[in-house]
Amino acid sequence: MSEISLTASMRSNLLSLQQISKLQDSTQLRLSTGLKVNSAIDNPSSYYTASSLNNRAEDLSALLDSMGQSVQTIKAATEGIEKAEDLLELAKATATDISEKLSSENIFAIVSTKSELLNAVDKWESGNGLIVLAEDINMGSTKLELKDNQKLVGLNYIDGSQKRAELSWTFAAGSADGRGMITAEDNLLSDIKITYNSDNIDSANKSFNAIYNDGHKLNLHNVDLTVNHTATGVTGQIISGIENVNRGSIHMSGNVTLNSTSPNIANRRLINHQDKACQLVLEEGSHLDIKTQGSGTRVINSGSNVFLGDVVDNSLGGNTESFINGTFSFYQKFSFKQIATTSTALFYNSDVSFYGQTAIEISGHNHKIFSGGTSNIYGQFIVSETGAIDTNSNQLLLNHTINIHSGAEVWLNQSAGSNFISNRTENQINISAGAKFGVKKDNSGIDKLYQADKDTNITTSSAEQVDDFVGVDGLSVTGTFPQSAYDAAMADLTAEIAKIGTRSHESTLNDKDKISNYQTSLTQGQKYTDIIKQYDDLIKDSAYKGVNLLQGDDLKVIFNENRSSTVDVLGQDIRSDEIGLITTDWKSLADIKQSFDELTNAKNTLRSASTKLGNYYSIITERETFTDNLINVLQEGADKLTLADMNEESANMLSLQTQQQLAINSLSLASQSSQSILRLF
């Protein structure tokens, strides 16, 4: 095209049009893209700076999405906690309902094993009802330490046998402690058989007893207490059924049995009061049955003892003092039978009062009914020798004084050749007016004193009976025994009863309906277990995208593009067993109370976990907002470097279009001279 010649003016206008076209292309690009910098060619500095800002904004946008998902994970966990708390409230309401039903039956626990019994005793609180033994429980050598006001009741078998549930201990050589049960204040033991076994106990131990009552009030109702010892040669040790110390008192009611079946021990005591300040009372209308075998058994040692109910004592074996070193008052029937061939004493060094009917039967020899002390008789008192009796071997009294009060009847039924009254000047028999005292030899009908050694003093205030006794060989009748002595004795008894106190035992549990209701209520504990299972299922379902903050999973949240700013959302395992909801197999009110405590702690744990998640939620949402704002700042900064001003570019385009039109017109004018030449042709 170089051969084409343009005039200078045309070339100038052409160049102007070309420049305008380029500017139009550039302006049109800016208008179409909205950017004034579309590539590094446009403005390298602005282009690369804007690219850096946009790249960071894109990185943060990706992190912003991750933060949003983290927030959703926390929300899922928070929602799980809120609903889990609702389930715990439902569990608490269920436990409350069952607890109220159980309390209405006045039962605290029904136990069948040693561990269940120890647990119930340990967790029992005053006023919670009875602890019921449903089965025989062997405690081995484990002590049972009761708390104040605790009531331990045996459940009679439902098969109709009315067998008492048995609570037993066994101690042998090397046993650390020879105590079975240690009582507290105002305990009740009812409808229980208590068996204490000892075998080859070593001399290092000092105390062996089924029950140790240290200065407390102990109530026994329908209790069968048996003490067994199966080894010989034990010396210097006291094995007792109940060791009662420090002014402790024992209150018996119902049918109580004291039983010793172990032979060959020197110091076995069914009830051992350590001093005379200790007390025992048998409630009126109740029955005490005493059974002993073997030698060396002391039924009751020391103390102040009042029997308002019937007492029956059947003993085998010699070398025994049944009631020793205390005071004993029998208000109703007292029956005693003993077979022995060695030295025995029914009452030894004791003061005894008989108000009701007394029947004593002895077989064998070397019996002493009273040895030391004083006795007062107000009712019928009969002593009979039965079986093989050695001549002159049994004695009514030795170093003892008997006061026979007005209205009393004392009959001694002797075998042939026997003599109940020894020739000891320390013996004294005082007979009040209106009393009867006689000896029957070989079941004869003689109703007066048949024989007395000359050194025995018998006094009477009855002139008629003086005449009866005048003919008795060697009998010296002296002195009087006034009615005032009887009145004083009755006043002493009344005061003693008032001091010891009597009361009816608490209602014990032989009611099948109560047991059934209690057990039914306990089975409803399955509802509680089901709720706890649902709780665990809810916790399991609180995951979000595979992360469960409520099962201990952790979550790392990144806040910036170089991962230098992060937060670790620490999960917490709040499944039931991890937060202490472990008591679901309820056996007693204590278990339910334990569940209450566990629920309280669990709710506190959930609230703490919720608070922590709330803190994490606040941190992440604040960072989410900050990041969103920062992205806007970065994008805005990039836009300021690259975005075109559309108003300016539009004006530029309009100006260029005008310039283009003017350039075209100018080019047209420049070409008119050439066009004039063409007209010549």
Side-chain angles (χ1 to χ4, degrees), residues 366-432:
N366 289 323
H367 290 282
K368 299 176 182 63
I369 308 302
F370 300 103
S371 179
T374 300
S375 60
N376 290 276
I377 301 174
Y378 303 96
Q380 187 182 68
F381 187 93
I382 301 174
V383 180
S384 301
E385 291 179 325
T386 62
I389 302 295
D390 287 355
T391 303
N392 298 323
S393 62
N394 297 318
Q395 300 178 21
L396 174 65
L397 66 164
L398 177 66
N399 301 328
H400 187 81
T401 297
I402 296 180
N403 299 316
I404 305 173
H405 295 262
S406 178
E409 298 180 4
V410 178
W411 306 112
L412 308 180
N413 297 323
Q414 301 184 168
S415 296
S418 178
N419 183 11
F420 271 127
I421 303 175
S422 66
N423 57 346
R424 299 287 295 271
T425 57
E426 294 87 350
N427 294 331
Q428 181 75 29
I429 301 176
N430 299 316
I431 306 172
S432 179

Side-chain angles (χ1 to χ4, degrees), residues 110 132-134 153-157 163-165 191 509-510 515:
I110 298 179
V132 182
L133 275 64
V153 178
L155 172 63
N156 288 349
Y157 287 13
K163 174 187 174 184
R164 298 170 185 172
D191 294 282
L509 190 67
N510 294 317
I515 292 294

Side-chain angles (χ1 to χ4, degrees), residues 90-139:
L90 180 59
K92 186 175 182 180
T94 301
T96 300
D97 179 59
I98 296 174
S99 176
E100 290 174 352
K101 290 179 180 178
L102 294 181
S103 298
S104 66
E105 302 299 338
N106 193 36
I107 303 172
F108 177 71
I110 298 179
V111 298
S112 301
T113 65
K114 178 172 73 172
S115 60
E116 289 176 359
L117 174 58
L118 292 173
N119 184 63
V121 168
D122 179 60
K123 294 183 177 179
W124 184 93
E125 294 180 357
S126 182
N128 275 336
L130 309 174
I131 299 174
V132 182
L133 275 64
E135 302 288 345
D136 295 345
I137 298 177
N138 186 346
M139 299 295 293

Side-chain angles (χ1 to χ4, degrees), residues 13-231:
N13 286 317
L14 179 60
L15 290 174
S16 179
L17 280 172
Q18 288 175 340
Q19 266 186 333
I20 290 170
S21 180
K22 288 180 180 179
L23 291 174
Q24 280 183 325
D25 290 341
S26 176
T27 302
Q28 191 169 0
L29 179 62
R30 291 176 182 177
L31 286 172
S32 62
T33 61
L35 299 175
K36 66 181 179 181
V37 179
N38 284 286
S39 67
I41 296 174
D42 296 332
N43 188 330
S45 176
S46 295
Y47 177 80
Y48 288 113
T49 301
S51 295
S52 175
L53 293 175
N54 284 326
N55 289 338
R56 187 184 179 198
E58 289 177 3
D59 292 341
L60 290 177
S61 293
L63 293 176
L64 190 63
D65 292 338
S66 176
M67 291 181 212
Q69 293 303 301
S70 298
V71 168
Q72 295 305 113
T73 303
I74 293 175
K75 282 184 176 180
T78 302
E79 184 68 20
I81 289 178
E82 289 178 358
K83 298 308 176 185
E85 284 191 90
D86 292 341
L87 285 177
L88 293 187
E89 284 294 336
L90 180 59
K92 186 175 182 180
T94 301
T96 300
D97 179 59
I98 296 174
S99 176
E100 290 174 352
K101 290 179 180 178
L102 294 181
S103 298
S104 66
E105 302 299 338
N106 193 36
I107 303 172
F108 177 71
I110 298 179
V111 298
S112 301
T113 65
K114 178 172 73 172
S115 60
E116 289 176 359
L117 174 58
L118 292 173
N119 184 63
V121 168
D122 179 60
K123 294 183 177 179
W124 184 93
E125 294 180 357
S126 182
N128 275 336
L130 309 174
I131 299 174
V132 182
L133 275 64
E135 302 288 345
D136 295 345
I137 298 177
N138 186 346
M139 299 295 293
S141 59
T142 303
K143 287 186 297 185
L144 180 64
E145 297 191 48
L146 301 182
K147 298 179 180 179
D148 289 349
N149 302 302
Q150 260 180 351
K151 301 169 181 63
L152 198 60
V153 178
L155 172 63
N156 288 349
Y157 287 13
I158 302 178
D159 60 7
S161 66
Q162 296 298 297
K163 174 187 174 184
R164 298 170 185 172
E166 181 176 5
L167 193 60
S168 60
W169 284 268
T170 300
F171 290 89
S175 296
D177 196 330
R179 292 172 180 170
M181 181 187 303
I182 299 178
T183 62
E185 186 63 26
D186 213 13
N187 291 142
L188 170 66
L189 307 178
S190 179
D191 294 282
I192 298 176
K193 181 178 181 181
I194 299 174
T195 302
Y196 182 87
N197 304 296
S198 57
D199 180 20
N200 290 320
I201 55 176
D202 52 72
S203 59
N205 290 329
K206 297 181 179 180
S207 180
F208 298 89
N209 39 74
I211 300 174
Y212 185 77
N213 184 48
D214 188 358
H216 302 300
K217 296 177 183 177
L218 173 61
N219 300 280
L220 306 179
H221 177 74
N222 291 340
V223 171
D224 187 344
L225 174 61
T226 299
V227 179
N228 296 321
H229 184 73
T230 56

